[in-house]
Amino acid sequence: MSIQHLNEDKRDALLEAAREVAGRAYAPYSNFFVGAALLTEDGTVYRGCNVENASFGLTNCAERTAIFAAVAGLGADQLSIRAIAVATAHGQPAAPCGACRQVIFEFNPDAQVFFFGDNGMVSTTARELLPYGFRL
Ligand SMILES: [Zn+2]
């Protein structure tokens, strides 16, 4: 599958959507408010935020919240992630965790992934983030 890179305006709009939805995160334990905005191949944007729980292991990341919303909205058969952006409400760096990398990979190994690392904005792909990701 060839990668059609988003232009800068679309990339920036996706990052801004991620930053906005980070404000809805439920993060009373970490105070680390993360948002994700996912662009499907058909142009729809789904958003997600992290949702923590008093039983910490039940916490769900912003990326997976957005992906699960997209599955619920489109049906898994129709979902191919074109790009996903991750941002925090207060500008801290935040790369997708290992679990989220595998879940992004499931819905398109060539999905573009944007986030802020220690040295600024990172533009990469699910495959680059998870070289040995697997699909059944
Ligand atoms: Zn995660």
Side-chain angles (χ1 to χ4, degrees):
M1 182 183 299
S2 67
I3 300 171
Q4 294 199 324
H5 291 282
L6 293 189
N7 66 35
E8 285 185 22
D9 287 347
K10 288 185 176 177
R11 179 200 67 199
D12 290 349
L14 207 59
L15 282 163
E16 178 59 20
R19 193 194 60 76
E20 283 178 11
V21 75
R24 295 185 190 156
Y26 178 67
Y29 308 106
S30 71
N31 288 312
F32 196 67
F33 300 86
V34 185
L38 176 167
L39 178 67
T40 66
E41 296 286 1
D42 73 356
T44 307
V45 174
Y46 290 91
R47 299 173 188 216
C49 55
N50 56 326
V51 180
E52 295 182 349
N53 191 274
S55 178
F56 292 173
L58 302 181
T59 294
N60 201 62
C61 301
E63 299 92 319
R64 280 177 289 138
T65 302
I67 293 165
F68 298 163
V71 170
L74 281 177
D77 291 348
Q78 299 300 312
L79 176 58
S80 179
I81 299 172
R82 182 170 182 201
I84 185 165
V86 182
T88 58
H90 303 296
Q92 307 99 318
C97 76
C100 289
R101 293 177 192 202
Q102 175 62 37
V103 176
I104 297 166
F105 193 96
E106 177 87 12
F107 293 102
N108 185 5
D110 294 313
Q112 285 189 273
V113 183
F114 309 119
F115 59 91
F116 292 96
D118 290 336
N119 298 309
M121 202 273 295
V122 175
S123 174
T124 184
T125 66
R127 194 184 301 279
E128 288 173 348
L129 285 171
L130 192 70
Y132 297 96
F134 66 94
R135 300 170 95 183
L136 298 179

